[in-house]
Amino acid sequence: MVSSLRWQFWIDRGGTFTDVIAQTPTGKIIVHKLLSENPEHYDDAPLQGIKDIMGIDQKRPIPAQEIEIIKMGTTVATNALLERKGDRVVLAITKGFKDALRIGYQNRPDIFALEIILPEMLYEQVVEVTERYDAQGNELIQVNKSQTRQDLQAAYDSGIRSCAIVLMHSYCYPQHELQVGEIAREIGFTQISISHQVSPLIKFISRGDTTVVDAYLSPILRRYVQQFAENLFERQQSGATSTKLMFMQSNGGLVDADLFKGKDSILSGPAGGIVGAVKTSAMAGFERIIGFDMGGTSTDVSHYAGEYERSLETEVAGVRLRSPMMSIHTVAAGGGSILHFDGSRYRVGPDSAGANPGAAAYGRGGDLTVTDCNVMLGKLQPEFFPKVFGVNADAPLDRTIVEQKFQTLANQIQDGRTREQIASGFLAIAVDNMANAIKKISLQKGYDVSTYTLCCFGGAGGQHACLIADVLGIKQIFIHPYAGVLSAYGIGLADQRIIKEKSLEVLLQPERLISLGSAFEELATMAQAELAQQQEDHRDTTILKKVHLKYIGTDSSLIVDFASLEAMRSQFEQEYQQRYGFIVTDQDLVVETISVELICPTYTPKSVTITRENSNSPLAVSTVKIYAANAWHDTSVYQRETLQPGDVVDSPAIITEPTGTNIIEPGWQGRISDRLDLILEKIQVS
């Protein structure tokens, strides 16, 4: 548990904005937001954010000795994967399986596509290793070390420094992989990803793909971590600082910077958002939530009903991964999604204006975006927005250029619609895109979202929460005081989590329970040893034991708690019934995989309730016009920091805060809780 009289920083480096939350030595929370890319003014946004908050001049080094811990989520590896800018990789694979990863599973996501476009492989060269174990662990062919050394040396001489090693049956019999790994180490490869260490699970293809991703991205991460640490600790004597640097993993847990791996980094930032949503919602009394995280580039949605949902097999940017990740569905509809008119229809995204040049309203020559729709409709008021735009990063949002561009678009469309009607139309499309994403992770899995609370966060989330809820039939919205930077706040609240897995493929039978218990103990010991490397004080740990079950003869498993045979079968059948609509009675169950999750808290916020200072009614700071429900409305503008517990805000209204703008659409009502949360409730059914 971290507690000291030094600074803490929790940072989410997103695609458009970098959010920084600091806890001062006195315990005060400070929130700061800046563009992720602004090359004219700074090189690295997280470091600049730390300097801004601590009041340090651009040319002075950061006094690292005053900082206790930095927790960060980053898109560095994600962007490298999306843009295919990872390291050059050689794949060492069992002889005869050179094309196995290219062939993959031969599944067709679009069965009607006439042209099948295969994803680009991340590895550059393939080395076939003469070796073989059978499935029972009998060594059929020894490793041909001299030939393997020769082939790997040739790859090394061509400039490749990253090696992925994937051999048959090595998830259970790793000796040959270790031998090849030692050869690669002797040659001088700086990144060696060995499949039984990266993903110790059955299924050759997904294990191989995950290992290649790790080899492709880990060097990028390592360089970023090293560069960040060097800049943070510049001019510090060796050993003069005890600042702890941790990164958010895709599974929702923190890990020491030195152990941060490429395969665990893909959802680094969004995972922090889910943790923040779950923990803040629980403190407010909401147990079942739909997470709605709308940023500048994309929108991430998630489902929570008492337990984090994770995906074991995920496809990201055409690349298959088998690593525990928060179950997040992402759609390319964010505040920066660009508006298109192709002569007959409106489209929103998937391309984004990003941080530079950004939306047209940013005054840097950008195209019209979803953000500009809200400026056009009056839902974003420049006078209540920070002046960080324009070429010199000191100007307000530019409403004039937005109006001009929408007028140009209206002249192009020529169907009699006004500028605000066009903007409203584009906004409705963006809302539908986001609502459909929520349906994929809820309705399509058998959950009735009308009984859930929409936990809305992200810089652009509050502008669209009511519209999203209306489409889905959700009647309650929760917006935390730090909603605009909730991913960063969630990274601060996150626990250290270590997940260990083992493939078994054995029948679930009474005589297996003892061996299962032994296997769990073995995994728990490994997890505790890894935690001990990172954390001196790890007394308050929790261990979760999970079993991945499936019907014999099937391929898809469901996760249940490790318990008695009857309890595991009962939970499996309940999950199976909800997912597939039927169960198969008297069918044997197979234990595909077991997993242990070790949880160690890193920070627990104080639970503080606020009392009213006076009986005054909420005081609007301004009245503006917004376009909502096909009409212009006189709308009161409130500043969230002036609202007190018990205050009720009628619609339509705008509630502004330093990290976002919240729109209360007609038919909704807002109230402030005793924790200063903003709760929106549907009061009028249309």
Side-chain angles (χ1 to χ4, degrees), residues 214-232:
D214 192 68
Y216 186 72
L217 296 179
S218 288
I220 301 285
L221 275 180
R222 191 167 57 245
R223 286 194 290 271
Y224 178 76
V225 170
Q226 186 175 353
Q227 178 187 358
F228 183 87
E230 286 175 354
N231 289 331
L232 177 66

Side-chain angles (χ1 to χ4, degrees), residues 79-95:
N79 292 342
L81 183 61
L82 293 172
E83 299 168 13
R84 295 297 193 265
K85 291 182 179 178
D87 262 31
R88 298 171 65 194
V89 176
V90 58
L91 169 64
I93 198 165
T94 300
K95 187 174 182 180

